[in-house]
Amino acid sequence: MRQMLDRADRQLKRSELLLDYRRINWRHVAAPRIYEGFNAVFRVAREIGFPFQFQLDHVQTPNEEVIQLRASKTYVGVVNRKEHAPWEPAYPHTDRKVLEEGGELVASQSSTGHVFFLVTPRRSERSTPSETELILMGPLDPNDVTPGVVRKATRRYLVLLKATSSIGGDSLGCSDWLLYQWTYTFELRAKYDLVRSAVGLKNEWLKASVTAVIAILAGFVLAKYGIKSS
């Protein structure tokens, strides 16, 4: 019993030390890099007159910090019109502008010290995305959050911002469109669903595919080694 407890004690203390390292590295390595990268988007967007203005927030709760880049609300060019009663000729109708919102890029420090990058698509009364939040990357060790990783997350964010905005339908080039499709198809939670489906063989198309592969392999083995059925 003592041997088991000693082993568990060593493992827990090592795990606790690693957790402390991750939290320190977030504070001194990852968070400054992320804030610098997000702030560059915020600053340059203002300089060039980007269609969306951004707000940059840094919520510093103990060991669960959030750094967020948020796109501004915009008018989509259409209105919701409310017709008034016939006895109100002075005001036959009232128009209310339809606004588009959403489009946040969030870097989040989890309670385990790991880093997640999340993004929300644009949405309005005329456009409701099927996913309200996508996990772009994670869980990452804070030391692995290099400037290149921040740029990668930012690029994916800008592609999703364009793709899900009412004004961005014609702004996607071929590479942007492929990246957009890839992000939605292989988003982190979608990957987990795909793995669960594969393990449980719940997907009928997947079952048929596995059956076909097994049949092909069986035919190959029979042809390779000359095994004949009786």
Side-chain angles (χ1 to χ4, degrees), residues 74-89:
T74 56
Y75 172 46
V76 302
V78 298
V79 299
N80 286 329
R81 174 163 294 180
K82 180 182 179 181
E83 299 292 344
H84 290 180
W87 54 82
E88 298 181 281

Side-chain angles (χ1 to χ4, degrees), residues 19-27 63 109 111-113:
L19 175 59
D20 289 340
Y21 282 151
R22 284 195 296 271
R23 288 173 172 171
I24 291 171
N25 287 334
W26 161 270
R27 189 178 310 116
N63 296 321
Q109 175 198 24
S111 60
T112 62

Side-chain angles (χ1 to χ4, degrees), residues 12 22 24 40 70 80-81 88 91 97 123 131 162 184 189 191 211 223 229:
L12 285 170
R22 284 195 296 271
I24 291 171
R70 179 187 306 161
N80 286 329
R81 174 163 294 180
E88 298 181 281
Y91 302 99
K97 292 182 177 180
R123 56 190 177 275
E131 299 288 346
K162 292 187 296 181
Y184 258 91
R189 278 175 295 214
K191 288 180 184 178
T211 302
S229 59

Side-chain angles (χ1 to χ4, degrees), residues 6-23:
D6 285 341
R7 183 169 181 269
D9 177 67
R10 290 193 302 271
Q11 292 171 330
L12 285 170
K13 288 177 179 177
R14 179 178 181 276
S15 179
E16 183 181 21
L17 186 62
L18 291 174
L19 175 59
D20 289 340
Y21 282 151
R22 284 195 296 271
R23 288 173 172 171

Side-chain angles (χ1 to χ4, degrees), residues 127-200:
S127 174
T128 304
S130 58
E131 299 288 346
T132 58
E133 183 181 82
L134 297 170
I135 301 175
L136 294 182
M137 302 178 194
L140 299 173
D141 187 282
N143 269 337
D144 295 331
V145 182
T146 63
V149 167
V150 178
R151 283 194 299 271
K152 183 177 179 181
T154 302
R155 189 201 168 199
R156 290 187 180 184
Y157 165 63
L158 292 175
V159 168
L160 264 75
L161 192 66
K162 292 187 296 181
T164 58
S165 173
S166 59
I167 67 172
D170 297 316
S171 66
L172 297 181
C174 181
S175 62
D176 284 348
W177 185 86
L178 289 174
L179 181 57
Y180 170 67
Q181 296 298 328
W182 177 273
T183 300
Y184 258 91
T185 304
F186 295 100
E187 185 256 349
L188 191 60
R189 278 175 295 214
K191 288 180 184 178
Y192 291 155
D193 290 340
L194 184 62
V195 170
R196 284 197 297 268
S197 177
V199 172

